[in-house]
Amino acid sequence: MYYPDELIEEVRTRNDIVDVISDYVRLQKKGSSYFGLCPFHNEKSPSFSVSRQKQMYYCFGCGAGGNVFTFLMEYENFSFMEAVKFLADRAGIALPEAEYSKEAKQRADLKASILEINKIAARYYYVQLKSERGVGAHTYLTDRGLTEETITAFGLGYSTKYSDDLYQYLRGKGYSEDLIRQAGLINTDERQGVYDKFWNRVIFPIMDVNSRVIGFGGRVMGDGKPKYLNSPETAVFDKSRNLYGLNRARTSRKTYFLLCEGYMDVISLHQAGFTNAVASLGTALTSGHASLIKRYVQEVYLTYDSDDAGTRAALRAVPILKEAGISAKVIRMDPYKDPDEFIKKSWRAGI
Ligand SMILES: [Zn+2]
């Protein structure tokens, strides 16, 4: 699939490079150019320049350079076509339908449908949390010290005790049982029939780097098992290639990430101002995670739980990070159990 050169050119001219890069890098005007901290290498003083006149960027520190398309290809890891599509959307330019093979088209349609359903489900869970039914879950979150602002920022929600609530809601919106199943939101049982995957749980929507909801994590209210439950892998959810909180952490403008174990750790850290915290999603750190991290930072501090399991997991993660060229350091949380507890106790103590 190719787009005509004129169309590519229109997309380029309708997306001023200074505006586009400003969404990722804080730029300041200096003479005829704009300068900021380079997103492609670690630095303390800005050597990354963007020229509105030339519609190009260049880093005097690491030599990275190019136009608005190459910036997105580097920063977002987009293919050229993805960068064109992203910028066309941004400028409101309609692109002709791409000619996919039949299989590729079906796959792309399935992904789009699952993302759409996930978004609706996330909103549904969020509304439940704020409703009468969600009072218990809401209290649980505020008891854990989360503010209303944080709950909204992370889109936290609640799945009710009614076992097919979401399923009925989505069916009512016209989605097929098959599609809802492929989104990982329901299970089927011989006796019960179809039932929601998540019920009576606080819901943590899991987003990709572009803040699209790709799956969910749920923490049970009360003593149900398992305590934490994640969406199964779907056409849009690959646990080994996504990190919780990355959509926010990548714009933190810090040169390192804090890598922790759970959703609550990430959320507590962000609320406390550590907006560079991320977590792997109920799996051990993989090389896929490491190369994802490498796109944004070259340095990671591991803030895993201080128990034996956490320490072992941290020690296993270090070589994987090093292998990817990331420098890794382990922060010992003791005497605290995890970063969440550390923040609460040390804040209370006024540290
Ligand atoms: Zn650079």
Side-chain angles (χ1 to χ4, degrees):
M1 174 70 202
Y2 292 97
Y3 295 122
D5 288 348
E6 302 82 57
L7 189 57
I8 302 282
E9 190 53 22
E10 191 194 346
V11 170
R12 198 176 69 83
T13 52
R14 296 260 302 270
N15 285 280
D16 184 87
I17 194 166
V18 175
D19 296 342
V20 171
I21 294 183
S22 292
D23 287 344
Y24 302 93
V25 180
R26 187 175 295 160
L27 295 173
Q28 277 192 318
K29 195 152 196 277
K30 238 168 78 183
S32 64
S33 287
Y34 292 78
F35 280 83
L37 293 175
C38 179
F40 304 117
H41 85 280
N42 273 342
E43 62 176 4
K44 298 227 157 50
S45 58
S47 48
F48 179 79
S49 70
V50 185
S51 163
R52 179 163 272 155
Q53 234 171 349
K54 297 185 195 138
Q55 288 294 307
M56 301 286 276
Y57 66 93
Y58 180 74
C59 174
F60 293 95
C62 68
N67 63 19
V68 71
F69 295 120
T70 52
F71 178 83
L72 288 170
M73 290 162 74
E74 283 289 313
Y75 194 99
E76 298 280 14
N77 209 27
F78 284 162
S79 67
F80 178 68
M81 293 309 271
E82 285 169 332
V84 171
K85 194 165 173 343
F86 177 88
L87 291 172
D89 281 352
R90 188 177 178 278
I93 299 169
L95 291 176
E97 274 292 303
E99 286 167 34
Y100 293 115
S101 70
K102 195 161 164 259
E103 292 74 27
K105 170 120 178 55
Q106 279 171 348
R107 184 91 184 149
D109 286 350
L110 176 64
K111 282 186 173 181
S113 302
I114 292 179
L115 288 171
E116 187 181 296
I117 286 195
N118 282 349
K119 195 169 161 186
I120 293 170
R123 201 174 296 142
Y124 180 78
Y125 289 140
Y126 177 78
V127 169
Q128 298 304 317
L129 181 72
K130 301 275 171 154
S131 78
E132 198 65 37
R133 290 165 162 191
V135 169
H138 193 268
T139 307
Y140 166 81
L141 292 170
T142 48
D143 281 352
R144 301 282 307 257
L146 298 191
T147 64
E148 218 50 55
E149 201 184 347
T150 301
I151 290 171
T152 304
F154 283 86
L156 305 188
Y158 173 60
S159 60
T160 64
K161 290 179 184 167
Y162 303 90
S163 66
D164 66 347
D165 227 20
L166 177 68
Y167 173 65
Q168 295 301 347
Y169 179 74
L170 291 171
R171 290 290 286 144
K173 294 233 164 229
Y175 294 104
S176 72
E177 180 182 330
D178 180 52
L179 195 55
I180 301 169
R181 188 183 317 283
Q182 294 205 62
L185 292 168
I186 50 171
N187 287 328
T188 309
D189 182 276
E190 272 175 28
R191 282 185 307 144
Q192 274 181 284
V194 174
Y195 61 97
D196 289 353
K197 166 126 179 134
F198 298 101
W199 50 289
N200 198 24
R201 285 173 186 272
V202 168
I203 297 289
F204 301 85
I206 299 164
M207 297 178 204
D208 67 6
V209 283
N210 297 310
S211 297
R212 299 179 304 183
V213 180
I214 52 174
F216 298 92
R219 197 239 184 244
V220 76
M221 292 288 89
D223 297 325
K225 290 263 168 1
K227 195 164 159 192
Y228 285 96
L229 185 66
N230 282 326
S231 291
E233 303 225 323
T234 67
V236 301
F237 186 35
D238 179 348
K239 284 175 203 179
S240 65
R241 294 188 182 280
N242 283 286
L243 290 161
Y244 186 73
L246 182 61
N247 58 321
R248 308 177 71 85
R250 67 172 193 152
T251 59
S252 67
R253 302 172 201 280
K254 301 244 170 67
T255 56
Y256 61 94
F257 280 168
L258 295 173
L259 183 60
C260 35
E261 285 190 272
Y263 311 114
M264 279 306 287
D265 295 331
V266 170
I267 296 174
S268 300
L269 283 164
H270 277 250
Q271 181 171 288
F274 299 97
T275 54
N276 53 340
V278 297
S280 58
L281 298 152
T283 60
L285 192 87
T286 65
S287 58
H289 292 134
S291 53
L292 184 60
I293 291 171
K294 186 76 197 302
R295 282 188 215 161
Y296 305 98
V297 295
Q298 330 290 324
E299 197 176 9
V300 162
Y301 289 87
L302 291 109
T303 55
Y304 282 17
D305 294 359
S306 55
D307 58 11
D308 284 350
T311 308
R312 273 199 305 275
L315 292 177
R316 269 198 307 270
V318 169
I320 296 170
L321 291 162
K322 294 221 159 122
E323 180 72 21
I326 298 165
S327 107
K329 294 189 183 75
V330 179
I331 299 185
R332 301 210 49 159
M333 282 292 142
D334 27 338
Y336 306 108
K337 190 162 71 64
D338 54 31
D340 186 28
E341 189 183 285
F342 167 74
I343 286 167
K344 275 170 204 134
K345 298 263 165 76
S346 56
W347 269 27
R348 235 168 265 150
I351 295 167

